[in-house]
Amino acid sequence: MIATESRPERFCDMVMKGGITSGVVYPLAVAKLAERFLFKNIGGTSAGAIAAAATAAAELARDSGGFERLAQLPKFLSANSPDGSGSNLFAFFQPQPRTARLFRICVAGLGGGWKGGLSVCATIVAEFWLSIVIGALPGAAFVALAFRDAHGAFQILCIIVGVLLLVIGALFALTLNLLTLAALTVPENFYGLCSGMTDDFKDTGDEPMPKRGKPLTFWLTEYLNSFVNRRVGEPPLTFGELWGKDPNNPYRIELEMMTTCLTHGRPYRLPFRDDADVRENRFYFCHDEFRRLFPKSVVDWLIEHPRKLNDSSPEARSRREFLRGEGFYPLPDPADLPVVVAVRMSLSFPILLSAVPLYDFDRGRDPKAMKPERCWFSDGGVCSNFPLHFFDSPFPRWPTLSIDLKQMLPGTKQDELEKPQMIPSNEAGIEENWNRFEFDERIDERSPHSPVRSEKSGLRKLTGFAGAFILTMQNWADNTLSRLPGYRDRICAVPLSANEGGLNLNMPSEIINALTARGSAAGVELITRFSIPVTNPKMNWDNHRWIRLRSSLASIDTMFTEIDHACEKPQPGDVNFELWVAETPPKKAPSYPWKPSQQSAALGMIKGVRKIVAECKKVEANVADGSPRPRGELRRRAHI
C-alpha cells in the first residue's frame, strides 16, 4: 500500500490514447508512475477514458491502496469469466439478443487472414443456412429439371445456368437477410451490436449476481465504486468527489475525456462545462433509454440530481413539468455527473458499442419547442483519439505524460515489440506519419530497415483509400500535434502487433499479460525521462521546460507582432484599435460594453503589447529565431 508518508512530492498530468482492448496497456504503466508522481490532471479517449477514470479513482484512493487495486486489474481482465465463455475482457462485449448473430459473425473474423475469412464464412452459413437454402431453391430446381428433361450439350448448358442461378440466389437471399437484419436491429440498439449492459445485470444491486461475465458498463460502475468502498447498487462515483469540496485544494483531481456529437458534427469535452466561459451543459436524457445503457443505481442518481435550471418563468416551469411527464430529465451539474456516464459516452466505438442518446432544443428552428430532439454521442476517437491538447500550458509547472499505441509491421521482432519508444533527441520525431494504403508491408529478418513491400490489388487499393480517408479525418489533429516540439518528447509509444489490442476482443491471457508488461515498461521509460533528480543527461524535464519556453515565446512573438501591425496600420476608414478603446465610452460600445475598470485594463494590455514589440524592434530582437520546429501558432478557437 502507498502510505501517506510516502506520497510523491511532484505532480504529473496524464493523457491516454483510445484503442478498445489496447487499454490493457495502461494499468501497470499508471501504477509504476504513481510511485514517483501524484496525478493532477488525467484525460483520455475511448479505452483511454476507462484508464483515465480508473487512474483518477486510484489517485483519490491512494492512501487506501488505490494503485494496488489498479495494478491487479490485468489479472482480472485475463482471467476466465464465470461462465467459461472467454476472458473477462471478452465478456465486456455482450450483444443484445437481436444483434447476437451479427456479433458472432464479426467476432469470427477477429483472427484475420485466410483463417479469419473461412471462420466468417462458416459462421455465416451456420447462422443463415435457411436463407441460403431458400435462395438456392430456384437454381437447384432448375438443375434438377435439367437432369430430368434435358439431354446432351443442352443439358450441360442448363446445368451451368442452374448452378449460376443457385449461387446467385443463395448470395442474394443471404445479402438481403443480412442487410435487413442489420437495418432493423442495429439502429434499434442505438447503432451498436453491444449496449454495454444486459437485461440480467441492469437491475442488479445488492442481490447475488448472475453467474456470467459482467458487461462493460456494469463492470465499470462496480469497479469505479470499489475505490470509494461502495457496491454497484450504491451511489456512483462523481466528478465532484474527485474535485473535493475545496476548489483551491492543490490535490484536486481533474478528469476529462472526449466524446463526439454526431448530430452537432463536433467533439465535446466531458464533463460538460457550465460556467462564464462555456455553456455546454444543456442536455437532457431519457429515463427509458438510459435504463438500457446503465445500471439502475446510475439512472436513479441522475434522476435525483438534475441540474438547477435558472429560468423560473411560468413557461419554463410548464415545460419542465411536461418533460418530466415524458421521461426527460436534465443532466446533473458537472460535479454531480457520474464518472461512468462520461466514460461510456467517450467509449462508444462505432457499431461495436451503442451510441449514447441525449436531447437538446433547437432554438434556432423552433424557439417555443416543448420537446427536445435526440442528439447522438459516439466515440471520442471519431474526432480526437489522442487528445494531446488536454492540460496544455505555455510554461508547464509539471509534465503532461502521454502514452501512445503504435501499430507495428508484420514480422517485427519480439524484442522490438517489448521495447517502449520515445524520441532519443530534440531533432527526432519531426517526421511525418505515413499511411501506405496501396501496399502491404512486412519486416524481413534479412533487411529489417527496408520493409518488404507488395502492391495491393485494385479492390484492396480502393478500400485502403477509403480507410486512409477516414483515418485522416479522425487523426489529422492528433498527428499534427504529436510532431510539435514540447509534445513529441513526452510521448511514449507502446508497440502493438496486428493480433494485439484494438478490436481483438478475444485476446488470450498470455497476450493480455504481455501488453500489461509493456505498459509497465512505458511507465519506467517516462519516469527515467521526467523524474527529479535528473537521470537522463539530454532528454529530461529541464530540457522539456526549455523547449516549451522557447516554443511558446516564439508563438507569442508572432501574435504580438500581428496585434501591433493591426494597431499601427488600420484600413482606410477604420479607427486605430488603441484609440478606439481609449476614446469609446463604455456605454457607447457597439456591443458587449465593459466596465470602466475593464476599459482601463484593456487599454493597458494593448499598450503593453505594443511596448514589448517596440522594444524588440529597437534592439532588432526576434525571440522566434532559432526556436524549435515546427513552430506552433496561437489562434482563437472554440473550446473543445
Side-chain angles (χ1 to χ4, degrees):
M1 183 179 295
I2 301 175
T4 304
E5 58 268 23
S6 65
R7 273 178 174 265
E9 295 182 350
R10 298 182 65 82
F11 289 120
C12 79
D13 297 339
M14 192 76 193
V15 177
M16 290 172 269
K17 188 176 185 177
I20 310 298
T21 62
S22 307
V24 299
V25 164
Y26 298 124
L28 292 191
V30 167
K32 180 63 66 175
L33 289 167
E35 298 173 7
R36 302 295 291 271
F37 295 102
L38 296 169
F39 290 99
K40 189 74 175 70
N41 304 296
I42 311 148
T45 295
S46 195
I50 295 182
T55 302
E59 184 63 69
L60 182 67
R62 175 183 283 269
D63 297 329
S64 57
F67 287 105
E68 285 78 4
R69 186 178 296 114
L70 182 61
Q72 294 301 312
L73 180 57
K75 188 179 296 185
F76 167 79
L77 296 176
S78 62
N80 288 329
S81 61
D83 59 1
S85 60
S87 66
N88 285 314
L89 176 64
F90 182 66
F92 289 165
F93 306 95
Q94 298 184 34
Q96 275 50 62
R98 295 191 68 193
T99 59
R101 289 198 291 172
L102 295 173
F103 180 78
R104 285 192 288 269
I105 292 171
C106 293
V107 170
L110 291 180
W114 66 268
K115 289 184 179 180
L118 286 179
S119 180
V120 168
C121 292
T123 306
I124 288 174
V125 171
E127 296 291 343
F128 295 94
W129 63 269
L130 184 58
S131 298
I132 294 172
V133 169
I134 292 173
L137 280 177
F142 195 89
V143 171
L145 289 173
F147 272 110
R148 192 187 70 178
D149 299 328
H151 302 282
F154 182 67
Q155 183 186 58
I156 295 173
L157 178 62
C158 288
I159 291 173
I160 293 173
V161 171
V163 170
L164 287 174
L165 287 175
L166 185 151
V167 172
I168 293 171
L171 289 176
F172 177 79
L174 173 63
T175 303
L176 183 63
N177 198 342
L178 271 171
L179 293 177
T180 301
L181 181 63
L184 291 176
T185 61
V186 176
E188 193 274 336
N189 203 45
F190 298 160
Y191 299 98
L193 299 176
C194 310
S195 69
M197 284 293 297
T198 56
D199 289 340
D200 49 354
F201 276 93
K202 70 179 183 181
D203 292 325
T204 303
D206 298 330
E207 64 273 14
M209 294 184 188
K211 298 292 185 181
R212 297 183 56 192
K214 298 169 184 175
L216 177 64
T217 312
F218 180 91
W219 167 80
L220 185 57
T221 304
E222 179 187 51
Y223 186 67
L224 293 176
N225 271 16
S226 71
F227 287 95
V228 287
N229 297 316
R230 294 186 205 136
R231 294 185 294 272
V232 70
E234 296 181 308
L237 176 69
T238 64
F239 282 90
E241 291 178 89
L242 299 177
W243 300 340
K245 295 181 179 180
D246 181 5
N248 298 315
N249 177 14
Y251 298 105
R252 171 184 168 120
I253 303 167
E254 296 285 354
L255 172 65
E256 297 183 356
M257 51 205 72
M258 297 293 291
T259 185
T260 304
C261 182
L262 300 178
T263 307
H264 292 167
R266 54 158 290 192
Y268 280 88
R269 192 184 300 206
L270 294 169
F272 294 121
R273 281 178 56 185
D274 192 3
D275 52 36
D277 295 328
V278 180
R279 302 299 300 272
E280 291 181 341
N281 193 29
R282 60 182 183 271
F283 295 99
Y284 294 74
F285 71 94
C286 175
H287 167 269
D288 292 338
E289 292 176 342
F290 263 43
R291 288 270 290 152
R292 294 167 56 184
L293 297 172
F294 297 97
K296 181 178 183 297
S297 58
V298 175
V299 181
D300 289 347
W301 172 271
L302 292 168
I303 291 173
E304 293 164 5
H305 295 80
R307 68 179 177 275
K308 300 175 180 65
L309 301 176
N310 297 324
D311 191 347
S312 59
S313 65
E315 295 82 3
R317 288 199 301 270
S318 174
R319 183 169 60 247
R320 286 198 286 270
E321 290 298 324
F322 169 78
L323 291 173
R324 235 183 323 251
E326 295 288 314
F328 295 103
Y329 297 85
L331 278 181
D333 289 317
D336 290 328
L337 183 68
V339 172
V340 68
V341 173
V343 175
R344 182 61 184 80
M345 290 179 64
S346 182
L347 180 66
S348 301
F349 190 82
I351 303 302
L352 174 62
L353 286 167
S354 299
V356 177
L358 293 180
Y359 288 80
D360 190 14
F361 289 97
D362 185 355
R363 298 301 186 194
R365 175 175 291 183
D366 186 358
K368 296 182 179 180
M370 288 290 286
K371 194 170 183 178
E373 294 186 58
R374 185 184 279 162
C375 299
W376 288 106
F377 284 83
S378 188
D379 198 87
V382 173
C383 289
S384 180
N385 205 35
F386 194 21
L388 287 166
H389 61 283
F390 277 5
F391 324 126
D392 201 10
S393 174
F395 294 175
R397 296 170 58 202
W398 51 76
T400 298
L401 310 178
S402 308
I403 295 183
D404 193 7
L405 304 168
K406 184 176 181 179
Q407 200 70 48
M408 305 297 286
L409 293 177
T412 301
K413 292 183 178 180
Q414 189 61 34
D415 58 344
E416 289 295 318
L417 290 173
E418 294 173 357
K419 184 180 179 182
Q421 300 177 358
M422 295 191 75
I423 62 170
S425 66
N426 290 336
E427 294 74 28
I430 197 172
E431 299 84 8
E432 295 286 358
N433 180 69
W434 285 78
N435 184 0
R436 297 179 173 89
F437 59 86
E438 292 184 296
F439 303 94
D440 286 319
E441 290 187 305
R442 61 174 292 104
I443 301 294
D444 190 322
E445 292 184 2
R446 295 166 296 183
S447 56
H449 300 294
S450 300
V452 177
R453 181 183 298 178
S454 58
E455 192 169 358
K456 293 180 179 179
S457 65
L459 181 59
R460 293 185 63 217
K461 282 184 180 180
L462 187 61
T463 57
F465 178 81
F469 201 86
I470 293 170
L471 287 174
T472 301
M473 290 190 295
Q474 178 191 29
N475 296 318
W476 72 268
D478 302 338
N479 290 338
T480 303
L481 273 179
S482 64
R483 295 178 60 247
L484 284 179
Y487 289 81
R488 59 181 187 254
D489 64 315
R490 60 179 173 87
I491 298 173
C492 184
V494 175
L496 303 173
S497 67
N499 64 334
E500 296 174 333
L503 283 170
N504 293 288
L505 309 182
N506 55 352
M507 290 187 297
S509 59
E510 56 268 22
I511 290 183
I512 295 175
N513 294 333
L515 291 182
T516 58
R518 288 178 212 170
S520 180
V524 171
E525 193 76 17
L526 288 165
I527 287 173
T528 301
R529 177 158 298 192
F530 288 106
S531 63
I532 300 295
V534 171
T535 56
N536 187 321
K538 291 177 61 179
M539 303 298 290
N540 52 45
W541 172 231
D542 280 346
N543 180 69
H544 176 78
R545 291 178 70 214
W546 188 255
I547 288 173
R548 293 303 293 260
L549 172 72
R550 292 282 337 247
S551 298
S552 296
L553 287 178
S555 300
I556 291 170
D557 178 87
T558 302
M559 174 173 273
F560 278 18
T561 301
E562 291 174 354
I563 291 173
D564 178 71
H565 189 69
C567 289
E568 184 178 355
K569 296 182 178 180
Q571 287 289 291
D574 289 345
V575 182
N576 175 292
F577 278 104
E578 187 175 343
L579 291 176
W580 199 12
V581 172
E583 297 177 357
T584 302
K587 292 184 179 180
K588 292 188 177 181
S591 60
Y592 300 100
W594 42 33
K595 301 172 184 176
S597 59
Q598 290 178 302
Q599 180 183 24
S600 176
L603 185 59
M605 287 175 66
I606 295 175
K607 287 181 177 293
V609 167
R610 299 201 67 192
K611 183 177 180 181
I612 291 172
V613 174
E615 290 294 328
C616 289
K617 288 180 179 178
K618 193 181 298 182
V619 297
E620 298 182 349
N622 183 345
V623 296
D625 288 345
S627 62
R629 300 293 184 99
R631 291 177 186 163
E633 61 179 8
L634 297 179
R635 287 287 184 270
R636 295 187 70 242
R637 69 169 192 182
H639 169 83
I640 298 176

